[in-house]
Amino acid sequence: MNTFGRIFRLTSFGESHGAGIGGIIDGCPAGVEVDMNFIASELERRKPGQSKITTGRVEPDRVEFLSGVFEGKTLGTPIAFIVWNKDQQSQDYDELKNVFRPSHADYTWQQKYGIRDHRGGGRSSARETIARVAAGALAKIILRKPGVHIQAFVSQVGDVCLEKPYGELDLSCTENNIIRCPDPAIASRMIEKVEEAARNHDTVGGVITGVVTGVPAGWGEPVFNKLHADLGFAMLGINAVKGFEYGSGFAGTRLYGSEHNDVFIKTKTGIHTRTNHSGGIQGGISNGEDIYFRVAFKPVATLLKQQETVNSEIQPVTIHPKGRHDPCVLPRAVPIVEAMAALVLVDHYLLQKLNN
Amino acid sequence: MNTFGRIFRLTSFGESHGAGIGGIIDGCPAGVEVDMNFIASELERRKPGQSKITTGRVEPDRVEFLSGVFEGKTLGTPIAFIVWNKDQQSQDYDELKNVFRPSHADYTWQQKYGIRDHRGGGRSSARETIARVAAGALAKIILRKPGVHIQAFVSQVGDVCLEKPYGELDLSCTENNIIRCPDPAIASRMIEKVEEAARNHDTVGGVITGVVTGVPAGWGEPVFNKLHADLGFAMLGINAVKGFEYGSGFAGTRLYGSEHNDVFIKTKTGIHTRTNHSGGIQGGISNGEDIYFRVAFKPVATLLKQQETVNSEIQPVTIHPKGRHDPCVLPRAVPIVEAMAALVLVDHYLLQKLNN
Amino acid sequence: MNTFGRIFRLTSFGESHGAGIGGIIDGCPAGVEVDMNFIASELERRKPGQSKITTGRVEPDRVEFLSGVFEGKTLGTPIAFIVWNKDQQSQDYDELKNVFRPSHADYTWQQKYGIRDHRGGGRSSARETIARVAAGALAKIILRKPGVHIQAFVSQVGDVCLEKPYGELDLSCTENNIIRCPDPAIASRMIEKVEEAARNHDTVGGVITGVVTGVPAGWGEPVFNKLHADLGFAMLGINAVKGFEYGSGFAGTRLYGSEHNDVFIKTKTGIHTRTNHSGGIQGGISNGEDIYFRVAFKPVATLLKQQETVNSEIQPVTIHPKGRHDPCVLPRAVPIVEAMAALVLVDHYLLQKLNN
Amino acid sequence: MNTFGRIFRLTSFGESHGAGIGGIIDGCPAGVEVDMNFIASELERRKPGQSKITTGRVEPDRVEFLSGVFEGKTLGTPIAFIVWNKDQQSQDYDELKNVFRPSHADYTWQQKYGIRDHRGGGRSSARETIARVAAGALAKIILRKPGVHIQAFVSQVGDVCLEKPYGELDLSCTENNIIRCPDPAIASRMIEKVEEAARNHDTVGGVITGVVTGVPAGWGEPVFNKLHADLGFAMLGINAVKGFEYGSGFAGTRLYGSEHNDVFIKTKTGIHTRTNHSGGIQGGISNGEDIYFRVAFKPVATLLKQQETVNSEIQPVTIHPKGRHDPCVLPRAVPIVEAMAALVLVDHYLLQKLNN
């Protein structure tokens, strides 16, 4: 259950305070030129300590490829990779060994497995997403060939919202600020929101919007594995995600059918739709329009303030976590959302080859 | 790609105007008493023509079991079943043979496969969900043993919302009205909304809420197959679904961590949480609290009014669909949402046996 | 566990005395013309009662397609099919309800599931192979495009062996006699062998050889799913099979490397090997030469003579089976061997599209 | 396609001259005590340079666990492991870069992928089996609980055969000699056979017999995944394997049904069979008797003598391999056969939990 994908398959491994985090990518086509600098740059976007509003942990997060790449190209064989763990301060967690932190996975893991690695959350740590970003970077490289481009950005932090539709934004500005919001004015307010929360030893949640361009009509599957079902599954598998919607989403439920339907029109480039409430997907299959979706992230569960809870003896205890934690996961989650979208899309890209 | 589940696996088949709709359930434990009346009653809840606000098509939708059941009990072998198609009026669709209806799957299927069964939407028809409801009914029967109960209801139609949290409602009243909303006053307003849309030859969307009680702590998987990721995948695979959220969902993104965290407390029955923003799932694994989620449905795409579109020669055409269609899928989608939840939960119930 | 294949997937169902035997083929490419006469003719080759040396049961075994085919072509959607059961004489089995027949699956099924359909062996009946032959026939149709041809024949019955290598035989004569051996003289001796066994109320086993021509170099997978491992898995999954070898097989273990190696040579049509001990597969991947293999079948377990055994109360009993049974499964197993080979090859044909 | 197993899943990686060979084991139950010494001792049995009749390469082959084990116990999370490559003499292979060695995988890999790592055979190297032996060792540890014991031994080298059935041998003597044959006299003759071949710069093949005791009745699956089909698939996936048979195997095809049937008898320990031609498996499911099988290995393809072949320009060339190679893989393959059997059995052990 640690494998993602059907054709391009990532099997990931690793605990936060174990030897490292990594994975095996199986099903990658042979002959792909592996752009190591690009993969490194994607991991840079995810890594902690990248700005004043992210955790102060310093992790170099350099990825090492162990197989499947020869003279710069993929061999068609499994591509194993690892990012070694460093800078762990496992002793920070000693006092939490028998404590179930609120809204964390401590209690549920203990109930499921009867054993857990309590250090840094073990495998429930967000550090696990390194494997996703590395594999997603390779997926993005493969998706260059069909011309698919994936861009995510922060569209809400707490109650600070970017109301403009993505089409009215210059998404190329997303990386210009530390919160990863393409509107500089809203970005400033978002950063203030995070800083305010951090000052109060509190945390905030928000929303990330993803936009995918260049997907031709015909990718996806019509029944269980609808393209948006696979995207939703991918996003809901990211830590702290509470919701997913695509196209018109929850807001679209309030429209009448006559308002919501996307009328087909003939253009110079073929068939298109006048509006795009469908979010580029109809009947689970891409229709050639932009695919866009929104992902809800809850506020980080680790607060640097005192909280009540219980321990493994079911006795009430008070905890007061220390350590270095993000007051808001949103900016670092942007490359993770993109990576998961890339994994879904590369899978459907390859699957569609079976129909040709 | 027409198989759902890992241990308890439904593989479904069937086109709207083909011989029938059915499936094979593989991985069902042996020795389960098959309550045929219950399965029939679940299909009754889904079937068309059940009330004045659903389509007027009359389909008996009687399920026939072809294998895997012997003297009333499951054998551990594949359980094949079929509901034969009747009352199809295929000629209603002749004029749509080369037309791409707006916000339908006609265009995308043609692009994907180069061929499609245009009659009644072929396999993209909502009729395909018969297989899900039949298999979900069997899943519900198996889930009686661990005491799991699944109840869904309509919580929004167009702009008519049921604002009360589910805990303040008597969910046992859900089936008392034709819209399947447990609050009778809101139900009346919802029914009016649907009737108004129907009078205008228009359609409405809405939201279904699902509530699952009785799941013990420890079901789910921590990384990609988080329990809520599997639930979201299941729901997003239902026709017309545009979004999924669980627990605090999108609204929870506006809370601070100190507001959102669910504090663990000791009670007479063991460890519980004071609030349940987590929606009964933490780190992808059930924590013993109620699981609840919301599913967004777009308005039905088939309007009984004139619409512009293009045909397969990329020429503009005007269509004016006839036939018998639902102005709102919500009431009939309630048993489908429950069925998909049951399929997810029975799978995790069986998977958790591997840890014991 | 009733699904075969990864891309072209057959999920089968059915008990010997249930409603019927059938399956769902998922992953079949769209647009394939379904040659119904060919599929029927393949089922004819498998069906009982076809000659004096097969069981006298008369089963028409007409296949009915329930989905996935429209106007004679595949839609890309699941193809469900069924052969209805008829002519069952379930009462023949009443006295065997609580008896474990020697070398049958009665005892092991009871131990595994705690329940079984005792009538005609239930799902352990050879009748289950109908689904394989129907799906294999469709696979053969798809394999016409890349020019792959599969031919099996009986090469041993009891101690009567066809010693000539397949290259010295005219395989097109295989269907000319009821034992399906391309050498008429050996065929006569084999038929005598079966008749002698039948006269003694006994049964005989034997070997089927399979030959596949036209597979280009590059099909297969190099590690676990070697092309011959998938073939072996497919054959060993047929009832009564006890062994599988390909190329030089067990005999090749006695050769020195210098005798066994297949030297590459340049010919007008490219690279070939001078000998073919490799059986057309090197490192798990086809090399363009003929693929050939041998499959061992044990003698049928049902004897029409008295035998000792025990019942479900672990008491010794004596049984004396009646009914209509094959004294030798070999001739009817020829199309089954071909069908399973076709299912393996169509899967690797489609998989190899991912590398192009 | 580099994953083996359904519940207990090994995904392996690595090229002979890459960074290392390793894998991820997913689906291992939590709380298993990991006996590191045992795992190391199994790798010792596989490693090169262990005796005068194996290759002179010296590879320490120490396994390093990267995740999934905490304080000596499994966590239920993925267990990643690696054996780093050392002592590679990649330059030995420079002259083979564009040459297709006879009966090797060079040509077929090139045809499949259009690229290959030619150094030491790349991923087609027998060194890949390290991952199998490491994972198999963990599987053996888990199988101690249900009391399953797996023992393989060399039963044929070239034309030197161990004719005695395994029941008349003392299998505990297997590790007493370097060929791993439990009969010391036959072992000496086998060793002579290998030495003679080596003196002639030639190689020999042979047969390994596997015996599994302690499997209770009820493991396996009745249709495609018969227990012996899974075992055969596992064995045929080992490099150089050409055939598999279980129980009476190919020899059993010459018996009459009345000779071959295993009569059930009542004993003090319950139901048993008087003979065991079934090899402990009936209808694909274990019956509680010993499981035994035979695996055919071809002679090693790498000869230290001159051979004709062609290169990638389809020109005839003559090669004369140097380097350190085994004249016979049999003794080192014994732990590999056991490991693959253990992987199959642990999977069915876990699968059978779903029926309880």
Side-chain angles (χ1 to χ4, degrees):
Chain A
M1 308 294 276
N2 289 275
T3 296
F4 186 89
R6 281 164 302 262
I7 301 294
F8 188 96
R9 289 179 300 280
L10 166 65
T11 301
S12 84
F13 70 84
E15 276 76 38
S16 179
H17 289 229
I21 301 287
I24 299 177
I25 299 159
D26 198 11
C28 181
V32 176
E33 289 205 45
V34 182
D35 181 341
M36 291 293 181
N37 290 334
F38 176 71
I39 296 172
S41 70
E42 289 290 277
L43 286 168
E44 281 289 305
R45 293 173 73 207
R46 195 216 72 94
K47 90 172 176 187
Q50 62 185 261
S51 80
K52 61 178 177 176
I53 59 167
T54 60
T55 165
R57 290 194 308 275
V58 181
E59 295 163 0
D61 288 355
R62 261 177 49 86
V63 67
E64 196 174 316
F65 283 85
L66 306 173
S67 67
V69 181
F70 180 58
E71 298 177 348
K73 287 189 180 170
T74 59
L75 283 166
T77 61
I79 300 166
F81 61 93
I82 189 166
V83 171
W84 298 99
N85 287 337
K86 286 168 186 162
D87 189 42
Q88 296 110 332
Q89 303 185 357
S90 301
Q91 67 284 5
D92 282 6
Y93 294 90
D94 282 355
E95 62 186 53
L96 293 175
K97 186 161 188 176
N98 297 309
V99 168
F100 300 138
R101 291 169 298 162
S103 289
H104 270 280
D106 304 335
Y107 172 64
T108 54
W109 280 57
Q110 190 68 41
Q111 291 299 106
K112 182 171 189 66
Y113 296 114
I115 183 175
R116 71 193 166 94
D117 180 353
H118 66 283
R119 301 166 305 163
R123 184 153 173 74
S124 74
S125 164
R127 193 161 167 74
E128 169 267 327
T129 55
I130 285 175
R132 306 180 186 219
V133 173
L138 184 56
K140 282 184 173 183
I141 291 168
I142 296 168
L143 288 167
R144 288 175 188 167
K145 198 169 157 193
V148 172
H149 183 76
I150 300 163
Q151 172 76 59
F153 58 89
V154 174
S155 52
Q156 187 199 310
V157 171
D159 54 5
V160 182
C161 291
L162 178 58
E163 304 283 4
K164 279 187 197 160
Y166 77 89
E168 297 173 21
L169 297 165
D170 180 357
L171 299 189
S172 70
C173 298
T174 302
E175 299 290 314
N176 292 357
N177 57 65
I178 57 177
I179 197 76
R180 294 202 164 91
C181 171
D183 181 317
I186 306 283
S188 298
R189 288 176 46 209
M190 288 174 170
I191 294 167
E192 271 169 54
K193 189 80 190 178
V194 176
E195 290 180 324
E196 176 216 296
R199 275 194 305 275
N200 297 332
H201 304 297
D202 213 331
T203 62
V204 280
V207 174
I208 289 176
T209 297
V211 180
V212 186
T213 59
V215 175
W219 293 13
E221 289 285 328
V223 181
F224 300 119
N225 287 89
K226 290 182 166 76
L227 188 53
H228 55 268
D230 276 2
L231 284 168
F233 172 69
M235 299 306 152
L236 290 158
I238 301 173
N239 280 359
V241 170
K242 303 289 290 189
F244 170 86
E245 59 181 5
Y246 81 104
S248 63
F250 277 90
T253 62
R254 291 165 186 266
L255 299 180
Y256 287 104
S258 56
E259 299 167 311
H260 192 274
N261 274 2
D262 294 322
V263 170
F264 283 112
I265 51 171
K266 180 184 176 175
T267 74
K268 277 173 292 186
T269 59
I271 289 179
H272 284 279
T273 60
R274 192 171 286 153
T275 50
N276 187 14
H277 293 113
S278 299
I281 304 171
Q282 293 176 325
I285 301 167
S286 60
N287 68 355
E289 306 299 317
D290 288 355
I291 294 169
Y292 63 98
F293 55 85
R294 283 162 36 90
V295 187
F297 287 80
K298 71 170 186 175
V300 175
T302 301
L303 313 179
L304 298 180
K305 57 166 69 172
Q306 196 169 299
Q307 280 186 286
E308 293 171 69
T309 192
V310 298
N311 64 17
S312 55
E313 275 80 44
I314 322 188
Q315 293 307 317
V317 290
T318 300
I319 57 167
H320 193 141
K322 293 178 198 68
R324 299 155 301 171
H325 298 279
D326 287 294
C328 176
V329 296
L330 276 289
R332 289 180 56 207
V334 165
I336 302 168
V337 163
E338 291 178 12
M340 293 311 294
L343 290 175
V344 170
L345 288 161
V346 81
D347 217 35
H348 282 284
Y349 165 55
L350 294 170
L351 277 167
Q352 185 58 0
K353 289 196 173 194
L354 298 173
N355 285 306
N356 296 329
Chain B
M1 309 293 275
N2 290 276
T3 297
F4 186 89
R6 283 165 301 262
I7 301 293
F8 188 97
R9 289 179 300 281
L10 167 65
T11 301
S12 82
F13 71 84
E15 276 77 38
S16 180
H17 289 228
I21 301 286
I24 300 176
I25 299 160
D26 198 11
C28 180
V32 175
E33 289 203 46
V34 181
D35 181 342
M36 291 292 180
N37 291 333
F38 176 71
I39 295 172
S41 69
E42 290 290 279
L43 286 168
E44 282 289 306
R45 294 173 70 206
R46 194 216 74 93
K47 89 170 177 189
Q50 61 185 263
S51 78
K52 62 178 176 175
I53 59 168
T54 61
T55 165
R57 291 193 308 276
V58 180
E59 293 163 2
D61 289 355
R62 261 176 50 87
V63 67
E64 196 175 315
F65 283 86
L66 306 172
S67 66
V69 181
F70 180 58
E71 298 178 348
K73 288 188 181 172
T74 60
L75 282 166
T77 61
I79 300 166
F81 62 92
I82 189 165
V83 171
W84 299 98
N85 286 336
K86 286 168 187 162
D87 187 43
Q88 296 111 333
Q89 305 187 355
S90 300
Q91 68 282 8
D92 282 6
Y93 295 90
D94 282 356
E95 63 185 53
L96 293 174
K97 186 161 187 175
N98 297 309
V99 168
F100 300 139
R101 290 169 298 161
S103 289
H104 270 280
D106 304 334
Y107 172 63
T108 55
W109 279 57
Q110 191 68 40
Q111 291 298 106
K112 182 171 189 68
Y113 297 113
I115 183 175
R116 71 192 164 94
D117 180 353
H118 66 282
R119 302 166 305 164
R123 185 154 172 73
S124 75
S125 164
R127 192 159 167 75
E128 169 268 325
T129 55
I130 285 176
R132 306 180 187 219
V133 172
L138 184 56
K140 281 184 174 184
I141 290 169
I142 296 168
L143 288 167
R144 288 175 188 167
K145 196 168 156 192
V148 171
H149 183 75
I150 299 165
Q151 172 75 60
F153 58 89
V154 174
S155 52
Q156 188 198 307
V157 171
D159 55 4
V160 183
C161 292
L162 177 59
E163 304 283 4
K164 280 188 196 159
Y166 76 88
E168 297 173 21
L169 298 165
D170 180 358
L171 301 189
S172 70
C173 299
T174 301
E175 299 290 314
N176 292 358
N177 56 67
I178 58 177
I179 197 78
R180 294 203 165 92
C181 170
D183 181 314
I186 306 283
S188 299
R189 290 177 46 210
M190 288 174 170
I191 294 166
E192 273 170 52
K193 189 82 192 175
V194 177
E195 290 179 324
E196 175 216 296
R199 275 193 303 275
N200 298 332
H201 303 296
D202 213 330
T203 60
V204 279
V207 174
I208 289 176
T209 297
V211 180
V212 186
T213 59
V215 175
W219 292 13
E221 288 286 327
V223 180
F224 300 118
N225 287 89
K226 290 182 168 76
L227 188 51
H228 55 267
D230 276 2
L231 283 168
F233 171 71
M235 300 306 152
L236 290 157
I238 301 172
N239 280 1
V241 171
K242 303 290 289 190
F244 170 86
E245 59 182 4
Y246 80 105
S248 62
F250 277 91
T253 64
R254 291 165 186 265
L255 299 181
Y256 287 105
S258 56
E259 299 168 311
H260 192 274
N261 275 2
D262 293 322
V263 170
F264 283 113
I265 52 171
K266 180 185 176 174
T267 74
K268 276 174 290 184
T269 59
I271 290 179
H272 284 279
T273 61
R274 192 170 287 154
T275 50
N276 187 15
H277 294 113
S278 299
I281 304 172
Q282 293 177 324
I285 302 167
S286 61
N287 68 356
E289 307 299 317
D290 289 356
I291 294 170
Y292 63 98
F293 55 85
R294 283 164 34 92
V295 187
F297 287 80
K298 69 169 188 177
V300 174
T302 301
L303 313 180
L304 298 180
K305 57 165 70 173
Q306 197 169 296
Q307 281 187 286
E308 296 170 67
T309 191
V310 298
N311 62 18
S312 55
E313 276 78 45
I314 323 189
Q315 292 307 317
V317 290
T318 299
I319 58 169
H320 193 140
K322 292 178 199 67
R324 301 156 298 171
H325 297 280
D326 287 295
C328 176
V329 296
L330 276 289
R332 290 180 55 208
V334 166
I336 302 169
V337 164
E338 291 178 12
M340 293 310 294
L343 290 175
V344 169
L345 288 162
V346 80
D347 216 35
H348 283 284
Y349 165 55
L350 293 171
L351 277 166
Q352 185 58 3
K353 290 196 174 194
L354 298 174
N355 284 306
N356 295 329
Chain C
M1 309 295 275
N2 289 276
T3 297
F4 186 89
R6 283 164 302 262
I7 301 294
F8 188 96
R9 289 178 300 281
L10 166 66
T11 301
S12 83
F13 70 83
E15 275 77 39
S16 179
H17 290 228
I21 301 286
I24 300 177
I25 298 160
D26 198 11
C28 180
V32 175
E33 289 204 45
V34 181
D35 181 341
M36 291 292 181
N37 290 332
F38 176 70
I39 296 172
S41 70
E42 289 290 277
L43 286 168
E44 282 289 306
R45 294 173 70 207
R46 194 217 74 93
K47 90 172 176 188
Q50 62 185 260
S51 78
K52 61 178 176 175
I53 59 167
T54 61
T55 164
R57 290 193 307 275
V58 180
E59 294 162 2
D61 289 355
R62 262 177 48 88
V63 68
E64 197 175 316
F65 284 85
L66 305 173
S67 67
V69 180
F70 180 59
E71 298 177 349
K73 286 187 181 173
T74 60
L75 283 166
T77 61
I79 300 166
F81 62 92
I82 188 166
V83 172
W84 299 99
N85 286 337
K86 285 167 187 164
D87 187 42
Q88 295 112 332
Q89 304 187 356
S90 301
Q91 67 282 8
D92 281 6
Y93 295 90
D94 282 356
E95 63 186 53
L96 293 174
K97 187 162 188 175
N98 297 309
V99 168
F100 300 138
R101 291 169 297 162
S103 289
H104 270 279
D106 304 333
Y107 172 64
T108 55
W109 280 57
Q110 190 69 38
Q111 290 299 106
K112 182 171 190 66
Y113 296 114
I115 183 174
R116 71 195 165 93
D117 180 353
H118 66 282
R119 301 166 305 165
R123 184 152 172 74
S124 75
S125 164
R127 193 158 167 75
E128 169 269 325
T129 55
I130 285 176
R132 307 180 186 219
V133 172
L138 184 56
K140 281 184 174 183
I141 291 168
I142 296 169
L143 288 167
R144 288 175 189 167
K145 197 168 155 194
V148 171
H149 182 76
I150 300 164
Q151 172 76 59
F153 58 88
V154 174
S155 52
Q156 188 199 311
V157 171
D159 54 4
V160 181
C161 291
L162 177 58
E163 304 283 4
K164 279 188 195 161
Y166 77 89
E168 297 174 21
L169 298 165
D170 180 357
L171 300 190
S172 70
C173 299
T174 301
E175 299 290 314
N176 292 358
N177 55 66
I178 58 178
I179 196 77
R180 294 202 164 90
C181 171
D183 181 315
I186 306 283
S188 301
R189 289 177 46 210
M190 288 174 170
I191 294 166
E192 272 170 54
K193 189 82 191 175
V194 177
E195 291 179 325
E196 174 216 298
R199 276 193 304 274
N200 298 332
H201 304 296
D202 213 329
T203 62
V204 279
V207 174
I208 289 176
T209 297
V211 179
V212 186
T213 59
V215 176
W219 292 13
E221 288 285 328
V223 181
F224 300 120
N225 288 89
K226 291 181 166 76
L227 187 52
H228 55 267
D230 276 3
L231 284 169
F233 172 69
M235 300 305 151
L236 289 158
I238 300 172
N239 280 358
V241 171
K242 303 290 290 189
F244 170 86
E245 60 181 4
Y246 80 104
S248 62
F250 277 90
T253 63
R254 292 166 186 264
L255 299 181
Y256 287 103
S258 56
E259 299 167 310
H260 192 275
N261 275 2
D262 294 322
V263 170
F264 283 112
I265 52 171
K266 180 185 177 174
T267 75
K268 277 173 289 184
T269 59
I271 290 179
H272 285 279
T273 60
R274 192 169 288 153
T275 50
N276 186 15
H277 294 113
S278 299
I281 305 172
Q282 293 176 324
I285 301 167
S286 61
N287 68 357
E289 306 300 317
D290 288 355
I291 295 169
Y292 63 98
F293 55 85
R294 283 164 34 93
V295 186
F297 287 80
K298 69 170 188 176
V300 175
T302 301
L303 314 180
L304 298 181
K305 57 166 72 171
Q306 196 169 298
Q307 280 187 287
E308 296 169 67
T309 189
V310 298
N311 64 16
S312 55
E313 276 79 45
I314 322 188
Q315 294 306 319
V317 289
T318 298
I319 58 169
H320 193 141
K322 293 175 198 70
R324 300 155 300 172
H325 298 279
D326 286 295
C328 175
V329 296
L330 276 289
R332 289 180 56 208
V334 165
I336 303 169
V337 163
E338 290 179 14
M340 293 311 295
L343 290 175
V344 169
L345 288 162
V346 80
D347 216 37
H348 283 283
Y349 166 54
L350 293 170
L351 276 166
Q352 185 58 2
K353 289 196 174 194
L354 298 173
N355 285 306
N356 296 327
Chain D
M1 309 294 274
N2 290 275
T3 297
F4 186 89
R6 283 164 302 261
I7 302 292
F8 188 97
R9 290 179 298 282
L10 166 66
T11 302
S12 83
F13 70 84
E15 276 77 39
S16 179
H17 290 228
I21 301 287
I24 299 177
I25 299 159
D26 198 10
C28 180
V32 176
E33 288 204 46
V34 181
D35 181 341
M36 291 293 181
N37 290 333
F38 176 70
I39 296 171
S41 70
E42 290 290 278
L43 287 168
E44 281 289 306
R45 294 172 71 206
R46 194 216 73 95
K47 89 171 177 189
Q50 62 185 261
S51 79
K52 63 179 177 175
I53 58 169
T54 62
T55 165
R57 290 194 309 275
V58 181
E59 294 163 2
D61 288 354
R62 260 176 51 87
V63 67
E64 197 174 316
F65 283 85
L66 305 172
S67 67
V69 181
F70 180 57
E71 299 178 347
K73 287 187 182 171
T74 59
L75 283 166
T77 60
I79 300 166
F81 62 91
I82 188 166
V83 171
W84 298 98
N85 286 336
K86 286 169 185 159
D87 187 43
Q88 296 110 331
Q89 303 187 356
S90 300
Q91 66 283 6
D92 282 6
Y93 295 90
D94 282 356
E95 63 186 53
L96 293 174
K97 187 161 188 173
N98 298 309
V99 168
F100 301 139
R101 292 168 297 161
S103 289
H104 270 278
D106 303 334
Y107 172 63
T108 54
W109 280 56
Q110 190 68 39
Q111 291 298 105
K112 181 171 190 66
Y113 297 115
I115 182 175
R116 70 191 166 95
D117 180 353
H118 66 282
R119 301 166 307 164
R123 185 153 173 72
S124 75
S125 164
R127 192 160 168 73
E128 169 268 326
T129 55
I130 285 175
R132 307 180 186 220
V133 172
L138 184 55
K140 282 185 173 183
I141 291 169
I142 296 168
L143 287 168
R144 289 175 188 167
K145 199 169 154 192
V148 171
H149 183 76
I150 300 163
Q151 171 76 59
F153 57 89
V154 174
S155 52
Q156 186 198 312
V157 170
D159 55 4
V160 183
C161 293
L162 178 57
E163 305 282 5
K164 280 187 197 162
Y166 76 90
E168 296 173 21
L169 298 165
D170 180 358
L171 300 189
S172 70
C173 298
T174 302
E175 298 290 312
N176 291 357
N177 56 66
I178 58 178
I179 198 77
R180 293 201 165 93
C181 171
D183 180 314
I186 306 284
S188 299
R189 289 177 45 211
M190 288 173 170
I191 293 166
E192 272 169 52
K193 188 84 191 176
V194 177
E195 290 178 325
E196 175 216 297
R199 273 193 305 275
N200 297 333
H201 305 296
D202 213 328
T203 62
V204 279
V207 175
I208 289 176
T209 297
V211 180
V212 186
T213 59
V215 175
W219 292 13
E221 289 285 329
V223 181
F224 300 120
N225 287 90
K226 291 182 167 74
L227 188 52
H228 55 266
D230 276 3
L231 283 168
F233 171 70
M235 299 307 151
L236 289 158
I238 301 173
N239 280 359
V241 171
K242 303 290 290 189
F244 170 85
E245 60 181 4
Y246 80 104
S248 63
F250 277 90
T253 63
R254 292 166 185 264
L255 299 181
Y256 287 104
S258 56
E259 298 167 312
H260 192 275
N261 275 3
D262 295 321
V263 170
F264 284 112
I265 52 170
K266 180 184 176 175
T267 74
K268 276 173 291 183
T269 59
I271 290 178
H272 284 279
T273 60
R274 193 170 284 153
T275 50
N276 187 15
H277 293 113
S278 298
I281 304 173
Q282 293 176 324
I285 301 168
S286 60
N287 68 355
E289 306 301 315
D290 288 355
I291 294 168
Y292 63 98
F293 55 86
R294 283 163 35 93
V295 187
F297 287 80
K298 70 170 187 176
V300 174
T302 302
L303 314 179
L304 298 180
K305 56 166 70 171
Q306 197 170 296
Q307 281 187 285
E308 294 170 69
T309 191
V310 299
N311 64 17
S312 54
E313 276 79 45
I314 321 189
Q315 292 307 318
V317 290
T318 299
I319 58 168
H320 193 141
K322 292 177 198 71
R324 301 155 299 171
H325 298 278
D326 286 294
C328 175
V329 297
L330 276 289
R332 290 179 56 207
V334 166
I336 302 168
V337 164
E338 290 179 11
M340 293 311 294
L343 290 174
V344 169
L345 288 162
V346 81
D347 217 35
H348 283 282
Y349 166 54
L350 293 171
L351 277 166
Q352 184 58 2
K353 288 195 173 196
L354 298 173
N355 284 307
N356 296 327

